[in-house]
Amino acid sequence: MMNAPISRRSMLRGAGAMLALPFLEAMLPSRLGAATGEAKPPVRLGIFTVTGGTVHESWRPKEAGSLSKLPSILEPLDGVKKDMLVLSGLSHGGRSEGLNGHEHCGYLHLTGAPLVKKDKGKRYAGVSVDQAVARAIGDQTLFSSLEFGATNHETMYSWRTPDTPVPYESNPRLLFERMFRGRKPVVPNWHRRHTAEAAQVRKLSRSDSYEQSVVDLVLEDARSLQKNVGKADQRRVDQYLQGVRAIETRIQFIESCLRVEALDAANPGPSRLHLPEKALPEGNEFWKLWNAAFHDPEKHAEYIRIVADLLVLAFQTDSTRVAALAVGSDDAMFPGVVTVGYERHCHTLEHRGNAGRVEDADPIAREALRQIHSWYTELFAEMVQKMKQIDEGGSTLLDNSVILYTSYMADGGHGTRNYPVALVGQAGGKLKTGKHLAYKERTPMSNLFVEVMNLMGVRTDKFGDSDTAEQRAHEGRLPGLI
Amino acid sequence: MRAFGCSLILASVLVFCVSSAHGADAGFAKEIQPLLAAHCIRCHGAEKPRGNVNLAVFTDDKSVAKQPKLWRRVLKQLETREMPPEDEKPQPTAEERQRLVAWIKQALIVGKADPGPAVVRRLNRTQYERTIRDLVGIDFNSGDAVGMPNDTNSEGFDNLANGLDVSPALLEKYLVAADKVLDRVLGLPDGTPSKENFNRPQAKQACDKLLYVKPSDKLPKREAAQQIIHSFARRAFRRPVSAAEIDRLMALYDLTEKRGDRYENGIRLMFKAVLVSPRFLLRVEQDRDGAAESYVVNDHELAVRLSYFLWSTMPDERLLQLADDGKLAYPDVLEQQVRRMLKDPKARALTDNFGVQWLQLRKLNDARPSQEFFPTFTNGLRNAMREEATIFFDKLREEDKSVLHLLDADYTYVNEELARHYGIADVKGNQMRRVELKPEHRRGGLLGMAGILTMTSHTSRTSPTLRGKWVLDVIFGTPPPPPPADAGLLKEQKKGEAPKTFRELMAQHATQNTCAACHRKMDPLGYALDRFDAVGRWREGSDLDTSGQLPTGEKFNGPRELKQLVLQRQDAFAQNLTEQLLVYALGRELQPCDENTVRDIAAELKKNDHRFGTLVLEIVKSYPLRHRRNRAADDLE
């Protein structure tokens, strides 16, 4: 039963029919409004983060300035050198309480929080950059953001609030269904979306769907409960009421988006729809792939290609403009990718390949790690190339995106200094790409997040510890980037 | 003492109010304050309190009763002589110690029997999945299918009411999950079967059962629909449903009819509304108008409490029927039902949810033994390790054995791979089975189980600290506080430095004042287990130092003597297990008012050979499980 994703029942079942609204699994943005029309394709923020840091001497270009020959880990990106910025010296300075090394790095990764901790089982970090952007611009799309790929309870990257980590969806089939359940993937026609006709269909109106009638009923249910529970704990019931009301608004928003897409379907944008090349694993097939992936790099690569394809599809269809994709696992085995020594277990290699000083580390393990990271970059480069092929009407999807390629640790020894950071894409023409920008060591990674926020149209001058870190610099910005 | 415990239980069943037995307030300043000041406050005062325990803020008995968790810890440490530390001078005299102990016990007892605060419990993910399965009748992992977030609470159980929030995102998941379940059972709204992969015969059977009447010449469609939704809603809401409730649901049916939709879609829409209703997703017990005192929960509320405690799912027809008939609360009926439920395969939920969380077995998934040092450690072995502990616990439940077997037993469960790991001969095949243990196997009880030993180890070495912490935390319920923020980790060896043994490095770390108090409690327990390597294999060698001494003075060497020590403290273990299971059963943290309950149940448990069934039964019969009260203004969330 492996259906190609497109062959699933995908048309709306029509007004009056049993309407299962498609997107009711999305994370709700803080507010919802009708999407505004834009003549130009929007800018998308992608985060492609791998595990295990990197091997610095094989990652960092020797010279600052124009990119020429790339170091071996970055070599697979040679074809998009002109669309890329390599940033070095960026570091996290946040302290940790009650966390192990992986948690410390995982919580800091996209938050740049000054302090991350676990207290009585509850976790704290800060709002992550993807969620901060999603909160600001997420009301434009069906999904304010998507978070997916391989994470575990230690590697929590995305945080909606300082104590609410966002779960990552690991199952590509579920992610696809979340995006396209009852909705047909359509290539937006960006020129058409700012016409008066589009503006007309975009207006929100009360839904007459069955979904709405269910919502009406349970709202009534909750209200009567609220009365009946008297003085008893009302908090849960209140939460329930709020949740249902949010869904009510969402139903209207979804319907407005679907009307806009129905217009586009008749007259879509210029590029072909980028559907995943491999069929999405269904049911138990997923678990088979998932379990195999961490022992067999071929399966691992298959998984990464599938989720990377879904990121491209999500951006192309404007399902969201913010996506965080986590890739790799410290716990994975890499036979065939690693061809030196005999250890193939990534976590063991990470510890052995790192020490207080590079000279003290095991050189064979370090070479093995270099092989692993170069393998990750190859897969990342494949995704980037696909984005470069997608024409959005005079510019490519890559032109209209900024993809942060990085890792939650700076190196395999739970390091937080000198993270591997590359920005790929033009962010709608705002980035001065083709360069290696070498910052002073320990320049806050949070400065990058300030820049990313601004690139995405969210004006801000601070993020995380950009203004409080001991090593704060450049007034929280990264000179030379734009 | 026994008679006293017994009569108390009787009293608590029959009488709602037990008169107050304390009045020591006046004595506090004279009798107690000086003792605290002399022996405790220097470290546990307002200034940088050690372990974040500040005893200076307590000024009378009442303030003590408000912090029962803290004072229970103080009580235990006084009784086991862990505190004050032996090198603190002057030490309290035996009489002084006794006086403190007696006072704390008394202060913790509240006068009036109190079932604790009223809470509204959302079904957690596990309960939701199981309830859907039983309500609809298909094996369907609804949580996985829609990517429902786990209600993981890394410390404590995932069924505690105050951790179970309702977010918009979660409500959306419920809506989608409802669609997916109904797709499978009723087919797609356009009348075609779902294309997904699932057990179709089972779904067909479930469908026939749910749509148990069919419209015919004699039975108009609307009436059939009404009968169907009535039966479904009663089971989903776990109580009788009112005519008004049915009318509201039927309005949905009427809408579909008005739009000329299929009959099945009318049923479907009503089912969907039930599956996302707060009356299904939340366990709400309604306040009794104007009740100032506690009252006995009604039979349907009792059935729900019982079934979510023992089965993590909705009551079955038998329980609902007994509740409908008003017979469930009869003592003999209740006991009969508890015994029946414990034998039912659904009671495996107690193991999967309570047992696994209490023993922290989920941590085993995170163990990453290095391939180089432990090449025999495979995923298969990891699974067998987990199975060993879970089956062991599950058999206690099923066969109603003594919970002390968890501390020491002459049997365990292994398959071929695990048997080889343990050096047990003649076990063939992947199937887990019971084996009798001989002394030379050096196993028996939790402390010899490889899973527990592995999950409390690091990648390439054992961790006496983690193992000691596990014993304190899980076995005795006295976890040490988390390390202070400035505690260092062990420094890796520097070049040119004379090599130190691990124990020397640890000792160095543990002499730092901030660290010593806790490490002295944890590490000796862990060193005794150092005969087991980081994946729980027995290791020989004369260079291993497995001797230890606790702050309380006991000396021991190796796992066997540690086990003796733990067995000597079996009362503390039994009380801890009682507390844990009571927390799980009530779905809330314990309160001062639960102090008596715990003590009585533990006493009854001891009297009945520590049988697991007794523990469960006594919890079911206990005051807080049978009673509730309206929410009081000063109840904490």
Side-chain angles (χ1 to χ4, degrees):
Chain A
M1 291 294 290
M2 295 276 275
N3 296 331
I6 190 70
S7 78
R8 284 182 52 76
R9 73 197 145 88
S10 48
M11 290 302 289
L12 257 183
R13 289 165 192 147
M18 180 63 71
L19 175 69
L21 280 172
F23 324 104
L24 288 173
E25 284 179 88
M27 296 303 167
L28 294 152
S30 55
R31 63 200 157 89
L32 276 174
T36 50
E38 281 178 66
K40 244 174 75 173
V43 180
R44 283 79 145 198
L45 168 64
I47 296 172
F48 188 106
T49 180
V50 304
T51 52
T54 195
V55 179
H56 290 284
E57 62 274 25
S58 309
W59 193 90
R60 187 178 191 273
K62 290 214 163 49
E63 310 286 337
S66 200
L67 288 172
S68 50
K69 181 165 170 41
L70 293 175
S72 72
I73 291 181
L74 288 177
E75 215 169 58
L77 290 166
D78 199 60
V80 290
K81 210 155 56 180
K82 287 199 174 60
D83 299 313
M84 176 167 81
L85 273 169
V86 179
L87 314 179
S88 62
L90 301 184
S91 308
H92 277 310
R95 288 189 307 117
S96 94
E97 281 175 16
L99 300 176
N100 71 33
H102 295 273
E103 290 166 329
H104 179 195
C105 292
Y107 292 16
L108 285 180
H109 182 31
L110 300 178
T111 65
L115 171 68
V116 291
K117 62 175 180 176
K118 205 159 30 173
D119 187 19
K120 298 195 183 84
K122 203 159 171 62
R123 312 173 175 96
Y124 299 91
V127 175
S128 59
V129 66
D130 57 321
Q131 296 302 305
V133 172
R135 183 178 294 182
I137 67 160
D139 59 351
Q140 305 289 307
T141 48
L142 283 169
F143 297 86
S144 58
S145 63
L146 289 172
E147 306 77 19
F148 55 105
T151 56
N152 60 38
H153 61 276
E154 292 179 338
T155 53
M156 290 181 172
Y157 303 150
S158 294
W159 297 71
R160 195 173 306 121
T161 70
D163 60 359
T164 325
V166 181
Y168 274 51
E169 176 57 70
S170 57
N171 185 332
R173 160 69 63 181
L174 292 182
L175 181 70
F176 182 86
E177 281 186 7
R178 200 196 277 181
M179 287 195 277
F180 300 113
R181 188 160 163 274
R183 166 189 176 223
K184 188 175 177 155
V186 169
V187 178
N189 183 332
W190 291 109
H191 293 291
R192 199 192 165 98
R193 284 203 174 185
H194 73 293
T195 60
E197 192 189 7
Q200 186 56 37
V201 301
R202 202 176 286 120
K203 277 193 184 140
L204 300 189
S205 58
R206 190 182 145 81
S207 167
D208 66 348
S209 63
Y210 283 151
E211 207 82 26
Q212 179 64 47
S213 60
V214 167
V215 163
D216 288 343
L217 186 139
V218 296
L219 268 176
E220 205 181 317
D221 256 2
R223 284 198 200 100
S224 76
L225 260 187
Q226 224 178 6
K227 277 181 227 142
N228 291 353
V229 289
K231 275 182 290 173
D233 182 0
Q234 288 206 350
R235 213 180 70 145
R236 293 287 167 270
V237 183
D238 291 346
Q239 282 179 344
Y240 181 93
L241 263 173
Q242 279 168 19
V244 179
R245 284 205 196 97
I247 286 171
E248 195 173 17
T249 320
R250 185 148 185 86
I251 289 173
Q252 299 180 12
F253 177 68
I254 291 168
E255 290 186 343
S256 106
C257 290
L258 290 178
R259 289 192 295 268
V260 172
E261 290 183 352
L263 271 189
D264 283 348
N267 190 2
S271 64
R272 198 173 54 84
L273 194 65
H274 176 87
L275 290 167
E277 286 167 17
K278 273 263 188 184
L280 303 177
E282 189 152 3
N284 284 336
E285 294 295 322
F286 164 67
W287 293 109
K288 273 190 215 155
L289 176 63
W290 179 256
N291 289 327
F294 301 115
H295 298 275
D296 174 357
E298 269 181 41
K299 292 286 175 196
H300 198 164
E302 184 181 327
Y303 176 75
I304 293 176
R305 286 193 182 103
I306 291 174
V307 283
D309 277 345
L310 288 179
L311 184 140
V312 178
L313 181 66
F315 282 172
Q316 185 191 21
T317 54
D318 201 36
S319 302
T320 187
R321 294 174 191 170
V322 182
L325 169 55
V327 153
S329 160
D330 292 314
D331 204 21
M333 309 284 293
F334 286 95
V337 171
V338 172
T339 57
V340 294
Y342 56 87
E343 181 65 60
R344 299 291 178 262
H345 183 221
C346 187
H347 188 254
T348 309
L349 287 167
E350 282 168 9
H351 279 276
R352 213 175 298 155
N354 285 279
R357 298 179 307 164
V358 172
E359 305 86 274
D360 297 339
D362 172 3
I364 293 178
R366 223 166 159 77
E367 168 59 13
L369 289 173
R370 190 197 64 75
Q371 293 179 319
I372 293 171
H373 286 289
S374 150
W375 179 85
Y376 281 139
T377 311
E378 278 169 30
L379 290 160
F380 173 65
E382 281 180 22
M383 181 186 90
V384 169
Q385 286 293 354
K386 284 174 186 167
M387 294 177 73
K388 207 175 157 69
Q389 305 302 319
I390 292 175
D391 178 11
E392 298 211 288
S395 55
T396 72
L397 180 57
L398 188 62
D399 293 338
N400 298 319
S401 300
V402 51
I403 312 286
L404 167 61
Y405 179 54
T406 184
S407 174
Y408 82 100
M409 300 194 286
D411 55 57
H414 314 154
T416 51
R417 290 196 195 172
N418 297 322
Y419 276 89
V421 178
L423 294 178
V424 186
Q426 303 282 350
K430 291 179 200 152
L431 280 172
K432 289 191 199 152
T433 51
K435 288 183 298 186
H436 167 212
L437 298 172
Y439 297 101
K440 205 173 137 210
E441 188 179 315
R442 301 187 66 186
T443 302
M445 188 81 169
S446 293
N447 291 19
L448 172 65
F449 299 153
V450 174
E451 295 291 354
V452 166
M453 295 277 283
N454 285 284
L455 281 174
M456 293 304 294
V458 192
R459 295 177 70 96
T460 183
D461 55 3
K462 58 185 178 191
F463 191 93
D465 65 351
S466 71
D467 59 335
T468 55
E470 219 173 288
Q471 311 291 326
R472 58 186 174 275
H474 313 302
E475 291 173 330
R477 306 299 293 250
L478 292 180
L481 199 77
I482 49 174
Chain B
M1 186 62 208
R2 267 188 193 178
F4 174 65
C6 182
S7 64
L8 240 183
I9 281 181
L10 270 176
S12 67
V13 172
L14 300 170
V15 186
F16 306 150
C17 303
V18 186
S19 63
S20 169
H22 72 106
D25 268 21
F28 182 85
K30 217 172 107 202
E31 301 277 329
I32 303 305
Q33 189 106 60
L35 286 180
L36 293 179
H39 302 294
C40 311
I41 303 287
R42 195 152 55 80
C43 293
H44 299 292
E47 289 287 304
K48 285 192 185 171
R50 284 279 172 84
N52 222 0
V53 172
N54 177 5
L55 301 181
V57 295
F58 296 94
T59 48
D60 54 20
D61 288 19
K62 256 201 178 143
S63 58
V64 168
K66 280 188 183 142
Q67 294 269 2
K69 259 187 124 169
L70 171 71
W71 283 97
R72 274 208 303 269
R73 255 170 68 202
V74 174
L75 182 64
K76 273 184 190 166
Q77 302 204 344
L78 275 170
E79 285 183 315
T80 55
R81 309 175 71 89
E82 280 172 56
M83 282 285 155
E86 58 179 348
D87 50 3
E88 288 293 331
K89 300 286 182 297
Q91 285 282 311
T93 65
E95 184 275 326
E96 285 174 330
R97 201 180 277 273
Q98 260 311 311
R99 191 174 355 137
L100 263 177
V101 164
W103 167 73
I104 295 173
K105 280 184 175 168
Q106 200 177 36
L108 283 173
I109 293 173
V110 283
K112 204 190 258 178
D114 175 0
V119 287
V120 172
R121 305 165 176 89
R122 166 170 71 72
L123 301 187
N124 72 10
R125 178 175 160 165
T126 315
Q127 293 166 343
Y128 173 81
E129 286 173 353
R130 289 175 192 248
T131 305
I132 287 280
R133 187 196 60 197
D134 292 344
L135 176 65
V136 179
I138 57 170
D139 292 321
F140 172 52
N141 191 333
S142 42
D144 259 5
V146 300
M148 206 168 274
N150 278 322
D151 302 300
T152 41
N153 181 351
S154 54
E155 283 144 50
F157 298 107
D158 64 6
N159 70 342
L160 302 191
N162 65 8
L164 293 169
D165 284 331
V166 182
S167 67
L170 185 65
L171 273 175
E172 295 187 359
K173 297 280 185 195
Y174 289 136
L175 272 165
V176 179
D179 271 333
K180 292 206 170 200
V181 174
L182 296 174
D183 278 354
R184 280 168 163 73
V185 179
L186 302 177
L188 302 182
D190 62 8
T192 61
S194 163
K195 286 164 195 71
E196 304 203 15
N197 210 350
F198 59 97
N199 183 341
R200 284 163 199 281
Q202 186 191 48
K204 170 84 177 54
Q205 215 175 11
C207 179
D208 290 345
K209 226 171 154 181
L210 291 172
L211 278 55
Y212 68 107
V213 290
K214 296 236 168 342
S216 66
D217 297 346
K218 289 192 195 102
L219 187 65
K221 279 184 175 174
R222 195 174 190 284
E223 267 172 46
Q226 187 157 353
Q227 289 182 27
I228 288 169
I229 195 60
H230 189 278
S231 147
F232 188 71
R234 166 183 174 266
R235 293 171 58 236
F237 298 161
R238 307 167 278 257
R239 57 168 170 76
V241 282
S242 69
E245 282 173 314
I246 296 298
D247 284 350
R248 286 219 305 272
L249 286 164
M250 283 304 289
L252 291 177
Y253 175 86
D254 294 340
L255 178 69
T256 62
E257 196 158 60
K258 208 173 84 193
R259 291 189 182 177
D261 212 332
R262 302 169 58 238
Y263 166 76
E264 288 79 7
N265 284 348
I267 307 272
R268 184 189 168 102
L269 199 59
M270 290 191 287
F271 278 8
K272 181 166 175 179
V274 167
L275 292 180
V276 296
S277 166
R279 298 170 197 276
F280 171 67
L281 297 169
L282 307 178
R283 286 169 52 192
V284 182
E285 297 167 337
Q286 304 207 340
D287 279 3
R288 312 292 194 265
D289 276 343
E293 301 286 334
S294 319
Y295 40 85
V296 182
V297 295
N298 70 36
D299 271 20
H300 288 99
E301 289 164 343
L302 179 61
V304 169
R305 287 180 174 203
L306 204 56
S307 70
Y308 282 95
F309 170 32
L310 297 184
W311 287 348
S312 302
T313 186
M314 58 185 273
D316 64 357
E317 194 49 43
R318 182 104 188 84
L319 288 171
L320 280 182
Q321 194 58 54
L322 284 167
D324 284 351
D325 299 345
K327 289 182 183 154
L328 183 59
Y330 294 175
D332 54 332
V333 175
L334 188 60
E335 173 157 359
Q336 213 177 30
Q337 287 305 309
V338 170
R339 300 272 180 211
R340 172 182 76 91
M341 292 175 77
L342 272 177
K343 289 254 179 321
D344 191 288
K346 281 197 244 180
R348 165 89 196 200
L350 266 181
T351 302
D352 293 341
N353 302 328
F354 171 74
V356 165
Q357 291 186 69
W358 170 50
L359 298 175
Q360 304 177 355
L361 287 177
R362 285 174 190 162
K363 284 186 179 169
L364 185 54
N365 294 336
D366 305 335
R368 294 175 183 141
S370 122
Q371 220 200 351
E372 183 189 12
F373 293 129
F374 309 104
T376 57
F377 186 85
T378 63
N379 258 334
L381 186 62
R382 188 202 302 267
N383 290 339
M385 289 175 175
R386 190 187 307 108
E387 279 293 282
E388 179 189 19
T390 37
I391 293 178
F392 194 93
F393 187 92
D394 200 47
K395 291 290 176 189
L396 288 185
R397 185 267 305 173
E398 201 183 322
E399 297 167 11
D400 194 15
K401 291 198 263 220
S402 161
V403 297
L404 296 183
H405 288 191
L406 290 162
L407 302 182
D408 191 19
D410 54 8
Y411 62 92
T412 192
Y413 299 85
V414 295
N415 64 4
E416 181 172 343
E417 198 174 5
L418 188 57
R420 199 181 317 128
H421 195 69
Y422 286 170
I424 299 174
D426 300 328
V427 177
K428 293 274 172 268
N430 205 22
Q431 190 69 30
M432 300 291 294
R433 90 271 334 249
R434 181 183 158 125
V435 292
E436 306 307 312
L437 294 171
K438 304 198 182 74
E440 64 263 31
H441 293 135
R442 304 184 178 95
R443 308 277 164 178
L446 293 167
L447 295 179
M449 289 191 190
I452 288 170
L453 296 160
T454 301
M455 73 188 200
T456 51
S457 294
H458 292 305
T459 315
S460 56
R461 61 167 171 85
T462 62
S463 167
T465 305
L466 286 180
R467 285 181 179 175
K469 176 176 184 289
W470 188 90
V471 173
L472 289 180
D473 190 356
V474 176
I475 301 289
F476 295 119
T478 51
D486 57 353
L489 295 171
L490 285 188
K491 298 266 183 310
E492 297 288 338
Q493 200 85 44
K494 285 211 188 79
K495 264 196 176 163
E497 206 175 39
K500 285 197 173 100
T501 67
F502 177 71
R503 201 161 169 137
E504 282 166 343
L505 286 169
M506 271 308 285
Q508 206 171 37
H509 168 81
T511 49
Q512 293 175 40
N513 250 345
T514 44
C515 310
C518 295
H519 275 285
R520 280 191 319 183
K521 281 186 265 173
M522 296 185 282
D523 300 350
L525 298 167
Y527 279 121
L529 292 169
D530 231 14
R531 279 282 161 213
F532 298 109
D533 71 10
V535 291
R537 279 178 310 195
W538 183 264
R539 54 184 174 187
E540 293 292 344
S542 52
D543 53 340
L544 269 181
D545 181 358
T546 58
S547 62
Q549 181 177 11
L550 285 177
T552 40
E554 295 97 326
K555 285 185 184 167
F556 47 88
N557 192 348
R560 209 173 52 83
E561 291 183 18
L562 175 67
K563 207 189 281 183
Q564 291 311 316
L565 176 87
V566 171
L567 279 169
Q568 280 164 22
R569 296 192 181 176
Q570 52 178 262
D571 286 352
F573 164 75
Q575 166 151 348
N576 173 44
L577 176 55
T578 304
E579 286 173 9
Q580 302 295 330
L581 194 58
L582 188 61
V583 167
Y584 176 83
L586 298 174
R588 62 164 172 81
E589 295 283 0
L590 296 189
Q591 306 278 328
C593 54
D594 302 314
E595 202 58 38
N596 291 344
T597 308
V598 169
R599 206 191 39 204
D600 296 346
I601 297 171
E604 204 60 21
L605 177 63
K606 188 169 185 170
K607 221 161 54 180
N608 286 280
D609 306 324
H610 292 99
R611 283 179 192 282
F612 186 74
T614 303
L615 179 57
V616 169
L617 186 62
E618 290 305 318
I619 286 179
V620 169
K621 285 165 30 187
S622 73
Y623 192 82
L625 208 109
R626 301 288 308 280
H627 294 80
R628 79 184 298 276
R629 62 168 158 82
N630 292 355
R631 185 174 168 82
D634 61 347
D635 278 346
L636 301 168
E637 168 60 33

